[in-house]
Amino acid sequence: MKISSIILTALVAGTAGVIAGTLFAPVKGSKTRGRIAKKGQEYKEYVQNNFDDLADSVSHPFENLEDETMRLGKKALAKTKIIKAEVKQQLN
């Protein structure tokens, strides 16, 4: 299952829970709306913080892969130059 589907499912389930809680809440509407706004802000901050962590953890291996690719490319180029020089030497 893709991570985006899991996140979307969690958000939809959370929203459904908030709506159900609001409909069956025994407290005054203004208090309930205030609580929902506060919790919404907390969830927003939580998602933002965790999304940044997730993005960092996903991008880090690709940065290492890029560095490794560059290193291997330089190594292959150096090896090619050596082989080219050896072939020229053998032909002469």
Side-chain angles (χ1 to χ4, degrees), residues 67-82:
D67 293 342
E68 185 67 14
T69 303
M70 293 297 288
R71 187 187 68 76
L72 289 175
K74 288 177 183 178
K75 188 176 178 180
L77 184 61
K79 199 105 157 135
T80 303
K81 288 180 181 180
I82 292 170

Side-chain angles (χ1 to χ4, degrees), residues 56-76:
D56 289 343
S57 69
V58 169
S59 66
H60 185 67
F62 288 109
E63 291 170 359
N64 291 341
L65 181 63
E66 182 181 7
D67 293 342
E68 185 67 14
T69 303
M70 293 297 288
R71 187 187 68 76
L72 289 175
K74 288 177 183 178
K75 188 176 178 180

Side-chain angles (χ1 to χ4, degrees), residues 19-67:
I19 291 171
T22 303
L23 292 174
F24 297 108
V27 229
K28 191 174 176 184
S30 60
K31 279 189 172 184
T32 302
R33 285 190 298 275
R35 288 179 183 171
I36 290 172
K38 183 179 176 183
K39 278 291 184 188
Q41 185 64 30
E42 290 173 7
Y43 286 137
K44 176 184 167 190
E45 292 170 3
Y46 175 78
V47 168
Q48 285 175 335
N49 292 339
N50 287 333
F51 183 77
D52 291 341
D53 292 343
L54 175 66
D56 289 343
S57 69
V58 169
S59 66
H60 185 67
F62 288 109
E63 291 170 359
N64 291 341
L65 181 63
E66 182 181 7
D67 293 342

